[in-house]
Amino acid sequence: MPDLAALAPIPAPQAFIEAAAAMGIEFDAGDLEKLGRYLAMLLAANEAINLTAIKEIDAAWEKHILDSLTLLPYLAEVEEGTTPRVIDVGSGGGLPGLPLACALPTHQFTLLEATEKKAEFLRQAATALGLTNVAVVVERAEVAAQDRGQKTHEGRTGAMREAFDFVTARAVGRLATLAELTAGFAEINGRLLLIKGQAAAEELEEAAAALHELKLVHAGTVDTPTGRIVVLEKRSATPRLYPRRDGEPKRSPLGVGKAAPKK
C-alpha cells in the first residue's frame, strides 16, 4: 500500500462544489482539502486493494464523496451537546463513513469491515487524515451485531448491539438482507440510513416481512442527486435471533419467498 500520508489532496471540481451548495451543504475551512486527501488515498490504495470500480476523478467526487454527504442532514438531527454514535456497516473503502467523519468531527464513527486488508486501509487513512473520531472494527456484521459486551457491576460495557444512534450502509446488499445485518446495531429509537439506488421501492416491497420481523418502520425514502436514502426507524428491541449466523441473511433473506423463522 502507498504511503497515504504523503499523498496530495485532489482538488474538488466546480461541479461538486455547486452540487453540494445546492443541497445546502456548507464546508468548514479545511474540509474540502481533507475530503480531497481521502479521495487521493482511496484511488491510490485501489491499485493494490479492490476498493472501488470508479477511477475517474470527477465521477469519484460525485458518486463517492457527494453520495456519502447526502446523509449529513439526517446525522445532524441530534441534541446539542451530545456525541452521536454512528456505525458504518460494511465500510469497504470507507464510504460513507470516512467522508462523514471528515465533515462531522462532533460525531463518533465506527467503521465495521470484515476484510482485514480493507480494514487496514481504513486505519491508515483515518490516521493520515487526523480523524480522532474514527474507530475501525474487523468483524462480520452477523457477529458484531450480537456483541452484548462484558458484564460489570455497573451493567454491560463495550457492547455493539443496540449501541448506536445511527447506522449507515452503502452498496452492501438488497434491503431484506441489509436490514437484518444492520438492525441489531441501532439503539431503540435509533435510525438506519441506507443509501440505495433506483430499485429502492422494489427492495422495500420485497423487504416488508423482514422489516416487520425486525421491528423496523420505514420512515421515508428520499431522492438525492446521486441515489435514494431509505430511512428506517427502530421502535423496539431487535429479536435476539437476528442477525442469524454468518452468511444466512444473504443466502436466505428474511421473509423473502417464505415465512420468517420461528423465534
Side-chain angles (χ1 to χ4, degrees), residues 12 26 37 81 110 139 200:
E26 298 180 0
R37 290 187 65 207
T110 296
E139 188 55 272

Side-chain angles (χ1 to χ4, degrees), residues 13-173:
Q14 189 61 32
F16 166 83
I17 295 172
E18 292 174 358
M23 293 171 54
I25 297 174
E26 298 180 0
F27 296 105
D28 291 335
D31 281 354
L32 285 174
E33 180 180 354
K34 192 170 288 188
L35 290 168
R37 290 187 65 207
Y38 162 68
L39 192 57
M41 295 175 193
L42 178 70
L43 297 180
N46 195 56
E47 299 297 322
I49 310 168
N50 182 24
L51 297 173
T52 176
I54 298 172
K55 301 176 182 178
E56 198 274 322
I57 289 174
D58 285 3
W61 271 101
E62 176 191 355
K63 296 181 180 179
H64 286 333
I65 307 301
L66 188 65
D67 193 42
S68 297
L69 298 183
T70 59
L71 297 183
L72 281 176
Y74 307 95
L75 294 175
E77 296 176 1
V78 297
E79 293 183 19
E80 189 174 349
T82 63
T83 302
R85 298 155 297 172
V86 185
I87 184 167
D88 186 29
V89 177
S91 197
L95 299 161
L98 283 178
L100 290 169
C102 289
L104 291 170
T106 56
H107 291 46
Q108 183 65 42
F109 288 84
T110 296
L111 310 183
L112 182 70
E113 173 52 48
T115 304
E116 173 59 39
K117 285 184 178 181
K118 293 179 180 180
E120 180 58 24
F121 164 74
L122 296 176
R123 293 189 201 98
Q124 291 191 29
T127 298
L129 291 166
L131 296 175
T132 59
N133 60 332
V134 170
V136 178
V137 174
V138 187
E139 188 55 272
R140 291 185 65 99
E142 296 96 325
V143 175
Q146 293 287 6
D147 183 354
R148 292 170 169 81
Q150 301 293 323
K151 283 186 177 180
T152 69
H153 294 298
E154 291 77 28
R156 288 185 176 273
T157 61
M160 295 190 72
R161 188 173 181 87
E162 300 191 334
F164 297 90
D165 302 284
F166 299 98
V167 184
T168 65
R170 175 180 184 263
V172 174

